[in-house]
Each structure stands twice: as C-alpha cells, then as structure tokens.
Amino acid sequence: DIGEFGHEMLASHEGLRHKYAVSCAELDLLVDTAREIRGVAGARLMGGGFGGCTINIVAEQAHENFIRRTGEVFEKKTGKIPLAYDVAISDGAQRLA
C-alpha cells in the first residue's frame, strides 16, 4: 500500500524533526514542499540527519513537476540549486543461480 507507506514516511520525518531534532531547515523545506505536490506519496530525510538529503516516493506522472517545484522553492529560499537523483523501485537483491 504505497499510500500508507508514504504516510509513514512523512510521520517518520516529523518524528525525526520534532522528537529527535536531527533534521534541519533545508531538509524540512524539501519535505514540506514535497508533501504539497500532487503525486508525491511520501518524503523524509535520509541518512543520519543534520543535513544531507531527502528520499521521496513520487508517481511517474508527477516526476517533472516535483523536480521543477522543489528546485524552484529550494533555490528561492536558500539561493542554492538542489541535486536530484532518480532511482526506480526494483525487486531488490537476489541470489543468482
């Protein structure tokens, strides 16, 4: 259930932001912007916190808008252009015969 997974990602980010204080203004900006974009199921900081990156679950049809919108908002607020790395969900690691 990708919708529930996305909801849990957002809730996890809120916990990291408020309970553990390991997020930062830039990551919060990216997550808050992502949550407002139609087609984004979830977002949260990735890694140990205190800067770094976010991971986002974005529907294919929302991809271009997501990249454009998050880039615009981030650059306007920080003066920096964020990098985006595209990845695709797969079956994961498997043992080869």
Side-chain angles (χ1 to χ4, degrees):
D1 181 345
I2 201 73
E4 183 60 27
F5 178 68
H7 175 77
E8 293 296 326
M9 285 180 72
L10 290 166
S12 173
H13 183 79
E14 291 305 308
L16 292 165
R17 178 191 298 198
H18 298 294
K19 284 178 122 175
Y20 298 102
V22 296
S23 191
C24 63
E26 295 84 357
L27 294 177
D28 294 342
L29 174 62
L30 287 170
V31 171
D32 291 343
T33 302
R35 102 175 40 225
E36 296 175 5
I37 299 171
R38 181 179 289 248
V40 174
R44 62 162 278 171
L45 70 81
M46 184 172 158
F50 308 111
C53 63
T54 62
I55 185 167
N56 306 271
I57 306 298
V58 182
E60 189 172 343
Q61 66 271 20
H63 177 265
E64 287 183 38
N65 183 47
F66 170 78
I67 297 296
R68 186 185 79 255
R69 184 72 186 130
T70 54
E72 289 171 351
V73 170
F74 194 82
E75 184 176 14
K76 182 179 180 181
K77 299 268 185 168
T78 69
K80 298 177 182 174
I81 299 171
L83 297 175
Y85 300 95
D86 294 327
V87 296
I89 297 172
S90 70
D91 289 336
Q94 299 177 27
R95 182 178 180 158
L96 301 175

